[in-house]
Amino acid sequence: QVQLVESGGGVVQAGGSLRLSCAAAASGRIFRLSNMGWYRQAPGKQRELVATITSSSTTNYAVSVKGRFTISRDNGKNTVYLQMNSLKPDDTGVYYCYADSRGVLGIDSWGQGTQVTVSS
């Protein structure tokens, strides 16, 4: 298991911004070869994919966040980021970092989550 620690969550008004960070306790090689992503889960809802970034930095976004959120990675810091702009109350939930290391370790890893609350 790769330890993933999220940070940067908090309470923000609608229209505001937050930047989430996910630090991975892994070797540089393992992190570099892992595909990373962010998921979120609102109260009473299923966990949903927000954004992904591959080992080659190809990105993909849920339709609901496209144009507002940006996922990025810093392989030198073993960290993946989620910049969230123009936040809406529907963005409220627990955000989880995910590492797809199946190609290098044969495992997936999840962080413990960080709470994001967007007030109207």
Side-chain angles (χ1 to χ4, degrees), residues 11-115:
V11 180
V12 65
Q13 287 189 334
S17 298
L18 285 173
R19 192 188 197 196
L20 306 183
S21 298
C22 172
S27 72
R29 176 180 176 270
I30 290 173
F31 182 81
R32 187 173 65 252
L33 295 175
S34 298
N35 301 312
M36 306 295 297
W38 288 95
Y39 288 71
R40 69 186 180 189
Q41 187 166 23
K45 306 285 286 186
Q46 295 184 20
R47 188 174 299 187
E48 65 175 349
L49 178 67
V50 177
T52 61
I53 183 166
T54 69
S55 60
S56 59
S57 295
T58 299
T59 59
N60 194 22
Y61 299 91
V63 172
S64 60
V65 308
K66 188 172 294 185
R68 300 187 297 119
F69 291 10
T70 302
I71 188 171
S72 61
R73 64 192 297 159
D74 186 337
N75 290 337
K77 295 182 177 180
N78 281 8
T79 301
V80 62
Y81 304 95
L82 185 67
Q83 178 67 48
M84 305 185 294
N85 298 325
S86 302
L87 283 162
K88 306 174 181 179
D90 285 350
D91 295 319
T92 293
V94 179
Y95 283 68
Y96 297 91
C97 183
Y98 168 75
D100 175 6
S101 305
R102 289 174 292 175
V104 59
L105 294 177
I107 60 169
D108 301 325
S109 301
W110 290 90
Q112 294 301 303
T114 184
Q115 176 70 43

